[in-house]
Amino acid sequence: ATASLVVALTVLRANVFWRNEAYLDDASGHLTALAKDLTEGTFYRPLHSSAGYGGTRHLPVRFTLHAASMELLGDPIRSGYLVSAAAMALLVAGVYVLLRRLGTHAVLAAASAAFVLAPHPAQEALLTIKTDGLAAALNIWGVALCAGEAVGAAPLVAAAVIFTLAFATK
């Protein structure tokens, strides 16, 4: 019941904060600008050009997904929130799968996965446009693929690809 309450309160909070754009900051703006540039055909701006200053500390996976979402939704802020929400859903699902592969009962795995949304860093990853949630989700899925008994070569290769994507996100 408590896990359900955490999920319900998180959904309500996201609805309020997204409508008010309450958690957006300069990092959110950087990622959104990179995504917008990408929709216009510029992968990374040069350090200095007629378009202004470029350069960034951000790696491409997150803002590439954001750009793809912008192509679908049109709105740069809403599309950024969509990527954040999808990343957190992937994180919750990854925690569930990891715990199940480790032999945890389904109810306990589901409750534990829901509680991933409770701490402040998870709330911030959901409520803003940043790379943290996606990087965490990819890392958890990489670990989940390696967990359990008799892991073969294919899951290990897939995990290596996922870990590389996690690195290229953050």
Side-chain angles (χ1 to χ4, degrees), residues 92-167:
V92 169
V95 169
Y96 176 80
V97 169
L98 173 61
L99 291 173
R100 291 295 291 145
R101 290 190 65 142
L102 293 173
T104 305
H105 187 276
V107 173
L108 181 57
S112 298
F115 280 120
V116 165
L117 296 172
H120 182 266
Q123 291 284 310
E124 187 173 348
L126 174 67
L127 299 174
T128 192
I129 298 170
K130 289 193 179 168
T131 58
D132 302 320
L134 184 58
L138 291 168
N139 277 311
I140 286 293
W141 276 100
V143 171
L145 287 174
C146 298
E149 296 180 24
V151 176
L156 291 177
V157 169
V161 169
I162 290 172
F163 287 134
T164 301
L165 289 171
F167 179 82

Side-chain angles (χ1 to χ4, degrees), residues 12-132:
L12 289 172
R13 186 171 191 220
N15 185 36
V16 170
F17 278 70
W18 286 343
R19 276 192 278 128
N20 297 312
E21 298 178 1
Y23 258 86
L24 298 182
D25 59 12
D26 61 328
S28 304
H30 296 160
L31 287 164
T32 303
L34 287 164
K36 179 127 178 52
D37 283 351
L38 189 54
T39 64
E40 296 169 356
T42 302
F43 188 56
Y44 281 110
R45 284 186 196 179
L47 290 177
H48 188 311
S49 71
S50 61
Y53 291 102
T56 183
R57 63 185 173 89
H58 297 289
L59 294 172
V61 172
R62 171 59 164 89
F63 73 80
T64 301
L65 291 172
H66 189 161
S69 179
M70 282 174 64
E71 291 292 334
L72 293 173
L73 297 180
D75 185 301
I77 301 300
R78 303 295 169 248
S79 60
Y81 288 150
L82 175 64
V83 176
S84 294
M88 293 309 290
L90 281 172
L91 178 60
V92 169
V95 169
Y96 176 80
V97 169
L98 173 61
L99 291 173
R100 291 295 291 145
R101 290 190 65 142
L102 293 173
T104 305
H105 187 276
V107 173
L108 181 57
S112 298
F115 280 120
V116 165
L117 296 172
H120 182 266
Q123 291 284 310
E124 187 173 348
L126 174 67
L127 299 174
T128 192
I129 298 170
K130 289 193 179 168
T131 58
D132 302 320

